[in-house]
Amino acid sequence: MSDTNTSPTSPASQPKSATTPSFLALTPLFLFLALFFGVGLYYSAIGVERPFYQIHPSVATLPALVLAVVLGAETIKKNLRTLLRGIGDETIMTMCVVFLLAGAFAGVMEAIGGVEATVDLGLALLPDQFILPGLFLISAFISLSMGTSMGTLAAVAPIAVGVSGSTDLAVTTTLGAVVGGAMFGDNLSIISDTTIAATRTQGCSMTDKFRANLWIAVPAALVTTVALFFMSAGAPDAAEGTVNIWLVLPYLIVLGLAVAGLDVFVVLGAGIVLAGATGIAASDYGMAPFAGDIYEGFESMFGIMLLAMFIGGLGELIRRQGGLAWLAMAIRRTTAFLRLKGRRAGESGIAAMAALSDVLIANNTVAILLSGTVARDLATQYDIDAPRSASLLDIFACIVQGVLPYGGQILLAASLAGLSPTALVGAIHYCWALLVMAIISITFQIGRGPGVTTKTASVNPYQAAESPSTA
């Protein structure tokens, strides 16, 4: 989708009146966290599996939305209009369409055997001593192509468990390599939901954020690959059998188109068509299953779509009532108290906001959505360019998400191996390397842009005056 400007009379282009910072306006957010996080802790204490997913976060937002509407100084009718304006904003709707297309592509590729073929091809090509870094790189490639860490883990984690069973490698080590690779793509992929959320809230293109992200993610990946190479021992023989390389082709093309900077709708649309055509040509896959898998892919994104819409509405209510202004003020005061100066202060504030949000929510996409306005305000105040702020926002949310014992990624990997989630935390070497590289980047200002920021940063990112390209 090409850049488009809203009309001069659109709500996004109207000047925003300054809101008075209000801690009370954050109460609905705290209610959401208490319901989602508190209930998760309760179920964790009584030993229920996947405790933090017993109540879907989209359901936990409902009482918070009601409270936000009631707390507003304006009439309930006006507050409801504000809620609906946040839910139906162009940014949120753009996210939802991209989520649908990404889900359809992932669903079709899984149905035709593309994920399995990609994994088998990688294992067949790996030298025996390269099994650990190979698992990391395979997971990184799949997650970079698919834009989803959970889908990658579902495909590759069982193989990691099998590898550990036939070698001297600990299952925590093999799974840690896979989770790290999955988080690499979750953070860096142009079509991941975290990238979509970060770029849309910060007002930059996905390609620019991707380039800014490379300065931190690639060195961390290289360090991780080298470390895993020296940790490899007792690797199995290379995989035997025939691999259908044609089933890998859609991933390769999608990755190439995305890196080339094409519009994300074009990339995913082409990927869906190519995946279906490949399946039909390579097997007995037909049009009816193709259509069914597309719809199942749509259904798989229902939860994140609903959550994005509700968070958009909640974010707009909190912003209008002064909650985000108070949070931004608190972040600025904290950076001043710590005597941080210049861009380091702003970047540290963005990093802290994203990390803290994810610790409380255990969902990096939601954490980015909630932190986006504060991050954009800090970027403007400290002269940080938008791709840099989007990159840091995404990186620190993904770092925390990748090592949270109650995060979905570790819970899924641990459940597949029958492990305690806490046993995996120290084995996610990529996330820890990414944290170190990100701190170095902030400290020494490595990989930062020229400091050219948008001057519309005070505008709610859910109603940005200019819609950045989603390419």
Side-chain angles (χ1 to χ4, degrees):
M1 183 176 67
S2 61
D3 291 355
T4 57
N5 293 325
T6 55
S7 65
T9 58
S10 67
S13 62
Q14 297 297 324
K16 302 286 182 180
S17 57
T19 55
T20 303
S22 171
F23 178 78
L24 182 63
L26 291 172
T27 306
L29 176 60
F30 295 144
L31 176 60
F32 166 61
L33 297 178
L35 289 173
F36 179 56
F37 196 71
V39 170
L41 289 176
Y42 168 75
Y43 281 114
S44 179
I46 63 176
V48 175
E49 292 185 1
R50 295 174 60 83
F52 289 87
Y53 290 84
Q54 295 302 308
I55 294 182
H56 196 280
S58 61
V59 176
T61 59
L62 295 178
L65 289 172
V66 173
L67 181 59
V69 169
V70 172
L71 281 180
E74 298 178 308
T75 65
I76 291 181
K77 186 175 182 179
K78 288 184 177 180
N79 289 334
L80 285 173
R81 287 178 179 174
T82 300
L83 169 64
L84 294 175
R85 187 163 57 247
I87 289 175
D89 183 75
E90 179 186 354
T91 298
I92 299 298
M93 291 299 100
T94 299
M95 288 184 191
C96 290
V97 174
V98 174
F99 291 160
L100 287 174
L101 294 176
F105 176 63
V108 173
M109 283 301 295
E110 182 178 1
I112 68 173
V115 176
E116 183 180 355
T118 303
V119 172
D120 289 344
L121 176 63
L123 290 177
L125 297 176
L126 288 175
D128 293 350
Q129 70 275 17
F130 204 69
I131 191 66
L132 272 181
L135 285 171
F136 171 74
L137 294 175
I138 290 171
S139 302
F141 172 74
I142 294 176
S143 61
L144 188 65
S145 303
M146 295 175 65
T148 167
S149 55
M150 296 296 284
T152 301
L153 288 171
V156 187
I159 295 176
V161 175
V163 168
S164 68
S166 60
T167 67
D168 295 331
L169 297 172
V171 66
T172 52
T173 304
T174 56
L175 275 178
V178 172
V179 174
M183 295 312 298
F184 174 86
D186 192 296
N187 165 229
L188 193 59
S189 176
I190 293 179
I191 61 174
S192 74
D193 51 2
T194 57
T195 292
I196 297 164
T199 54
R200 297 295 292 184
T201 58
Q202 299 309 292
C204 67
S205 73
M206 294 185 182
T207 304
D208 288 341
K209 181 264 184 186
F210 177 82
R211 291 168 181 158
N213 217 150
L214 284 175
W215 287 93
I216 301 174
V218 170
L222 291 175
V223 169
T224 302
T225 302
V226 172
L228 291 174
F229 178 83
F230 287 105
M231 294 171 63
S232 296
D237 293 334
E240 297 180 357
T242 303
V243 178
N244 190 341
I245 194 170
W246 292 107
L247 295 179
V248 185
L249 186 62
Y251 280 138
L252 296 174
I253 293 179
V254 163
L255 179 60
L257 294 177
V259 174
L262 268 70
D263 186 283
V264 66
F265 295 150
V266 175
V267 171
L268 288 175
I272 292 170
V273 172
L274 183 59
T278 302
I280 292 172
S283 65
D284 58 356
Y285 194 66
M287 288 300 299
F290 179 37
D293 291 330
I294 289 176
Y295 187 73
E296 287 184 9
F298 288 166
E299 286 185 322
S300 70
M301 291 293 160
F302 173 75
I304 189 64
M305 282 177 55
L306 195 62
L307 186 59
M309 289 190 293
F310 285 168
I311 289 297
L314 182 62
E316 175 64 6
L317 282 167
I318 292 175
R319 183 201 66 80
R320 189 173 182 87
Q321 295 167 14
L324 294 181
W326 185 92
L327 200 57
M329 179 183 68
I331 293 290
R332 294 188 187 101
R333 287 180 176 177
T334 300
T335 56
F337 175 77
L338 296 175
R339 297 183 179 180
L340 297 174
K341 297 181 180 180
R343 291 178 183 167
R344 293 183 183 87
E347 292 180 0
S348 298
I350 292 170
M353 186 69 191
L356 179 60
S357 297
D358 197 73
V359 166
L360 296 176
I361 299 171
N363 185 307
N364 46 349
T365 303
V366 181
I368 291 169
L369 287 171
L370 290 175
S371 307
T373 297
V374 176
R376 189 160 176 168
D377 286 345
L378 287 170
T380 296
Q381 179 183 358
Y382 291 97
D383 197 26
I384 302 167
D385 70 314
R388 173 73 167 181
S389 64
S391 174
L392 293 175
L393 194 62
D394 196 346
I395 284 172
F396 278 89
C398 284
I399 286 172
V400 173
Q401 184 68 24
V403 298
L404 276 183
Y406 51 86
Q409 287 77 4
I410 284 187
L411 288 175
L412 175 60
S415 66
L416 290 171
L419 295 174
S420 167
T422 56
L424 280 175
V425 173
I428 318 297
H429 303 293
Y430 171 72
C431 288
W432 297 115
L434 186 63
L435 175 62
V436 172
M437 292 300 172
I439 292 174
I440 291 174
S441 177
I442 292 174
T443 302
F444 298 101
Q445 292 292 283
I446 298 173
R448 65 173 177 81
V452 179
T453 59
T454 175
K455 298 306 180 184
T456 59
S458 60
V459 176
N460 179 16
Y462 301 118
Q463 294 179 331
E466 183 174 346
S467 300
S469 170
T470 57

